[in-house]
């Protein structure tokens, strides 16, 4: 016999986006149920950069203090040549940056970020969390969205939010546009003890070493105790995609880089690699009583370090609109798409372009470096569109259980 559960608001996926959406709904007084496929809520052992647009969301939800406790505030983001070892340009994250955006730029361990959000969710009586629940499919049944789990159990919801990441089962129902696309790059990432790495570009900074078809990002996490590294390169597209970019190809790709970079790459975690994928922007994410957020809605290349930041923005906007529209869920989803589709489409598009800029070769790379050479580190004209986005520009929604 099929086990059926009736819930009002259902979030599928308990990653950064899904848990933040649940928290935002609960803070608005709306009860919400979360289904996570993994046996426990967890994140991979790597770092994440969070820009002021994300910190604004965490602040509003009351979890910023917890996040900042373990995070690092790098004084600068420094762009270095991975080939010559020379500095190309920098962004100063000091007092002027903070005055411009109202929040700092931070780097932290993904588990520390997730733990802060999860603790806040656990303290909210309006949130019910369930792990070990994998959603296989979604269907529309009149005014109800039905999530069907691997064991056949069904969750019937007035509003269902697919926050189930890159391989979203909910997206298969709402859009059904197949697999995400290969970017052509492979990433290796993870943390190492900070003491293991030499001091070249400043261990406090967020340093981005760039070269033809490759880059290495380095920054401290967990109060400086651990050092996060992300090595990315254009892979030879031979054989099945999930086998692209084996470790010997990683070493070959970085063979001609400066000593500090090749030393970092030698130490990068090699037990797992990510064949990077994204999607072109979609025009809409919703169908009936189901919608999407985060990577399920707009998976993007990581070159702007905004995937998680955009998931956080989505979460509060969606929660506010679901609260404000009460029982009229389709109206809430329409307003959510009107606000979030254009914003995330721009970020998705620029994330891809940023990849082309940092991985440029030959004359294009020379031109890039020459143009950036005289840039003022406190010139924020190019980051305003990204970091100055206000999810709180709309009047706060009144509390309603909808
Ligand atoms: C190399 C790399 C570096 C990055 N760096 C940054 C950065 O510095 N800053 C930044 O903002 N972003 C960064 N990103 C992007 C960021 O990691 C993602 O955008 C973000 O994690 C998306 O969060 P999410 O909650 O939408 O999805 P996920 O984190 O994928 O969470 C989805 C959750 O849903 C669960 N789930 C999946 N399927 C089901 C199912 N069928 N049923 C139930 N549960 C399910 C999963 O187990 C998971 O817990 C980076 C990405 C990569 C690849």
């Amino acid at each position: 016999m099929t086990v059926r559960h009736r819930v009002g608001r259902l979030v599928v996926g308990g990653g950064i986006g899904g848990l933040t959406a649940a928290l935002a709904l609960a803070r608005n007084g709306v009860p919400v149920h979360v289904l996570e496929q993994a046996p426990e809520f967890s994140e991979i052992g790597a770092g994440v950069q969070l820009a002021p647009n994300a910190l604004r969301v965490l602040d509003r939800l009351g979890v910023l203090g917890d996040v900042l406790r373990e995070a690092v505030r790098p004084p600068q983001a420094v762009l270095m040549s991975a080939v010559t070892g020379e500095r190309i340009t920098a962004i100063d994250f000091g007092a002027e940056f903070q005055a411009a955006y109202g929040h700092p730029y931070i780097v932290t361990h993904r588990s520390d970020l997730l733990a802060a959000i999860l603790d806040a969710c656990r303290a909210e009586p309006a949130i019910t969390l369930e792990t070990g629940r994998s959603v296989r499919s979604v269907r529309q049944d009149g005014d109800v969205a039905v999530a069907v789990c691997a064991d056949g159990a069904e969750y019937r919801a007035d509003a269902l939010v697919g926050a189930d990441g890159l391989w979203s089962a909910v997206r298969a129902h709402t859009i059904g546009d197949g697999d995400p696309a290969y970017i052509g790059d492979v990433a290796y990432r993870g943390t190492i003890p900070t003491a293991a790495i030499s001091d070249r570009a400043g261990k406090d900074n967020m340093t981005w070493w760039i070269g033809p078809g490759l880059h290495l990002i380095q920054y401290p996490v967990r109060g400086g105790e651990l050092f996060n590294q992300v090595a990315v390169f254009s892979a030879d597209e031979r054989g099945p995609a999930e086998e692209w970019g084996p470790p010997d190809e990683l070493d070959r790709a970085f063979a001609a880089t400066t000593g500090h970079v090749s030393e970092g790459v030698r130490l990068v975690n090699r037990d797992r690699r990510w064949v990077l994928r994204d999607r072109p922007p979609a025009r809409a994410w919703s169908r009936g009583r189901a919608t999407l957020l985060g990577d399920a809605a707009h998976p993007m290349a990581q070159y702007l370090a905004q995937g998680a930041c955009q998931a956080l923005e989505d979460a509060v906007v969606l929660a506010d609109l679901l609260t404000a529209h009460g029982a009229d869920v389709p109206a809430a989803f329409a307003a959510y798409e009107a606000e979030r589709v254009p914003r995330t489409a721009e970020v998705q598009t620029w994330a891809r372009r940023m990849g082309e800029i940092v991985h440029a070769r030959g004359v294009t790379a020379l031109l890039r470096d020459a143009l950036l050479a005289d840039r003022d580190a406190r010139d924020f004209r190019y980051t305003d569109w990204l970091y100055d986005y206000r999810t709180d520009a709309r009047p706060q929604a009144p509390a309603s259980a909808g």
Side-chain angles (χ1 to χ4, degrees):
M1 198 184 73
T2 304
V3 179
R4 292 199 174 85
H5 305 269
R6 189 74 173 92
V7 292
R9 307 288 181 251
L10 178 68
V11 174
V12 176
I16 292 164
L19 289 181
T20 306
L23 185 60
L25 279 166
R27 295 286 200 241
N28 285 352
V30 180
V32 54
H33 194 89
V34 180
L35 298 179
E36 164 58 40
Q37 68 179 0
E40 55 191 61
F41 296 97
S42 67
E43 261 290 345
I44 57 153
V48 63
Q49 304 174 45
L50 295 173
N53 56 315
L55 267 55
R56 216 168 280 132
V57 171
L58 297 170
D59 197 6
R60 184 191 134 183
L61 296 177
V63 292
L64 184 58
D66 280 351
V67 173
L68 289 178
R69 197 166 310 124
E70 298 286 354
V72 174
R73 299 181 193 199
Q76 287 200 320
V78 188
L79 198 63
M80 304 281 290
S81 165
V83 179
T84 65
E86 281 166 20
R87 179 184 176 285
I88 299 169
T89 189
I91 300 177
D92 202 304
F93 292 142
E96 286 174 52
F97 182 90
Q98 294 204 35
Y101 300 122
H103 284 290
Y105 196 101
I106 63 166
V107 285
T108 194
H109 200 287
R110 281 169 182 264
S111 323
D112 297 341
L113 172 64
L114 195 78
I117 301 168
L118 182 59
D119 284 352
C121 285
R122 287 195 166 126
E124 268 289 354
I127 301 178
T128 326
L129 300 169
E130 248 191 287
T131 52
R133 273 277 179 228
S134 177
V135 170
R136 281 287 159 83
S137 64
V138 175
R139 69 170 194 272
Q140 183 74 22
D141 197 352
D143 279 350
V144 168
V146 185
V148 183
C149 293
D151 64 356
E154 293 186 357
Y155 288 76
R156 302 171 64 80
D158 300 318
L160 184 154
V161 180
D164 50 345
L166 185 64
W167 299 98
S168 171
V170 182
R171 187 179 178 115
H173 163 70
T174 61
I175 308 182
D177 54 352
D179 289 349
Y182 299 117
I183 293 172
D185 293 342
V186 169
Y188 284 76
R189 59 178 163 166
T191 57
I192 56 172
T194 302
I197 195 95
S198 69
D199 192 355
R200 173 63 183 81
K203 283 186 190 179
D204 295 342
N205 283 330
M206 210 278 292
T207 310
W208 197 350
W209 303 86
I210 64 171
L214 59 85
H215 73 263
L216 173 72
I217 292 185
Q218 297 183 311
Y219 54 79
V221 293
R222 200 157 287 161
E225 185 188 309
L226 295 175
F227 201 63
N228 185 67
Q229 301 202 101
V230 189
V232 178
F233 62 102
S234 308
D236 288 342
E237 301 183 7
R238 272 182 312 206
E242 297 318 318
E243 291 170 17
W244 291 353
D248 59 322
E249 202 180 314
L250 166 74
D251 290 328
R252 275 202 307 281
F254 283 84
T257 55
T258 183
H260 176 82
V261 173
S262 49
E263 176 200 332
V265 169
R266 235 185 353 263
L267 295 171
V268 79
N269 198 340
R270 286 158 186 250
D271 51 17
R272 187 177 161 196
R273 61 182 182 271
W274 282 261
V275 175
L276 299 173
R277 295 175 182 248
D278 70 357
R279 289 183 189 273
R283 279 199 205 90
W285 302 325
S286 313
R287 179 171 171 196
R289 296 297 181 117
T291 195
L292 307 172
L293 67 69
D295 276 7
H298 43 69
M300 59 183 70
Q302 82 288 3
Y303 305 110
L304 289 176
Q306 277 284 320
C309 300
Q310 291 304 308
L312 292 173
E313 287 184 1
D314 290 344
V316 287
V317 172
L318 179 59
D320 282 354
L321 290 167
L322 275 172
T323 312
H325 287 275
D328 194 351
V329 173
F333 287 172
Y336 167 63
E337 287 179 349
E339 191 163 338
R340 295 299 302 160
V341 168
R343 161 74 171 167
T344 53
E346 197 176 10
V347 183
Q348 274 175 294
T349 306
W350 274 102
R352 274 259 184 161
R353 286 188 191 142
M354 189 67 174
E356 289 161 18
I357 293 169
V358 298
H359 286 185
R361 299 167 193 268
V363 178
T364 314
L366 288 174
L367 191 60
R368 173 200 62 206
D369 296 354
L371 288 171
L372 288 174
D374 294 330
R375 222 194 111 258
D376 182 344
R378 282 160 300 177
D379 178 355
F380 308 131
R381 274 177 301 173
Y382 307 108
T383 46
D384 279 350
W385 72 277
L386 198 49
Y387 302 158
D388 209 17
Y389 181 83
R390 311 259 157 184
T391 54
D392 52 4
R394 200 180 331 97
Q396 293 287 295
S400 142

